[in-house]
């Protein structure tokens, strides 16, 4: 089985930066696509970014493109999300997921999830 643990969240002011990490333990699959999703109170879990196993292809939601960067270190079994120029609307619980099948942009295409890490951006 695969266990995913997110870390790096916190409280920042608008315009600040955070770097989230997703550490995988147990049985891991370096060839799989990994993604970041976020969920704000009362809203559905939405796509943020995804990355292929080699890191050669990345995908971003329009709302974060140009501000966020996803990367991975397969040797460390870790996926990162560098978040710059944060905005209050970025406030949410951020989840790391392992893709299983289907579109990279939909949460139901991911089979495993971490516990989430809270990101709060104040204005």
């Amino acid at each position: 089985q695969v266990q995913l643990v997110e870390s790096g969240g916190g409280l920042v002011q608008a315009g600040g930066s955070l770097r989230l990490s997703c550490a995988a333990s147990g049985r891991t699959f370096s060839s799989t696509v990994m993604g970041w999703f976020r969920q704000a109170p009362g809203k559905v879990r939405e796509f943020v970014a995804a990355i292929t196993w080699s890191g050669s292809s990345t995908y971003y939601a329009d709302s974060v493109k140009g501000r966020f960067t996803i990367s991975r270190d397969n040797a460390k079994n870790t996926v990162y999300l560098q978040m710059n120029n944060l905005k209050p609307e970025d406030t949410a619980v951020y989840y790391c997921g392992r893709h299983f099948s289907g579109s990279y942009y939909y949460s139901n295409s991911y089979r495993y999830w971490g516990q989430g890490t809270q990101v709060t951006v104040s204005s």
Side-chain angles (χ1 to χ4, degrees), residues 21-61:
S21 297
C22 172
S25 61
R27 186 175 297 174
T28 60
F29 304 93
S30 62
S31 62
T32 60
V33 173
M34 300 294 292
W36 285 97
F37 287 73
R38 65 188 183 187
Q39 188 168 20
K43 295 185 177 180
V44 69
R45 188 170 298 188
E46 67 175 359
F47 172 79
V48 176
I51 186 169
T52 58
W53 72 271
S54 66
S56 61
S57 296
T58 56
Y59 309 86
Y60 296 95

Side-chain angles (χ1 to χ4, degrees), residues 7 10 30-31 52 57-58 61 63 65 67 75-76 84 92 94 96 98-99 101 103 105 115-116 121:
S7 62
S30 62
S31 62
T52 58
S57 296
T58 56
S63 60
K65 191 171 185 178
R67 299 188 297 120
K76 296 181 178 180
N84 297 327
Y94 284 69
C96 176
R98 177 182 175 273
H99 180 260
S101 181
S103 173
Y105 298 91
Q115 83 290 343
V121 185

Side-chain angles (χ1 to χ4, degrees), residues 60-109:
Y60 296 95
D62 290 340
S63 60
V64 306
K65 191 171 185 178
R67 299 188 297 120
F68 292 9
T69 302
I70 188 171
S71 62
R72 69 190 300 170
D73 187 337
N74 291 336
K76 296 181 178 180
N77 294 322
T78 303
V79 181
Y80 305 96
L81 184 68
Q82 178 66 48
M83 306 185 295
N84 297 327
N85 192 24
L86 284 162
K87 302 176 180 180
E89 48 265 44
D90 295 319
T91 296
V93 177
Y94 284 69
Y95 297 91
C96 176
R98 177 182 175 273
H99 180 260
F100 177 71
S101 181
S103 173
Y104 302 153
Y105 298 91
Y106 294 95
S107 62
N108 60 7
S109 299

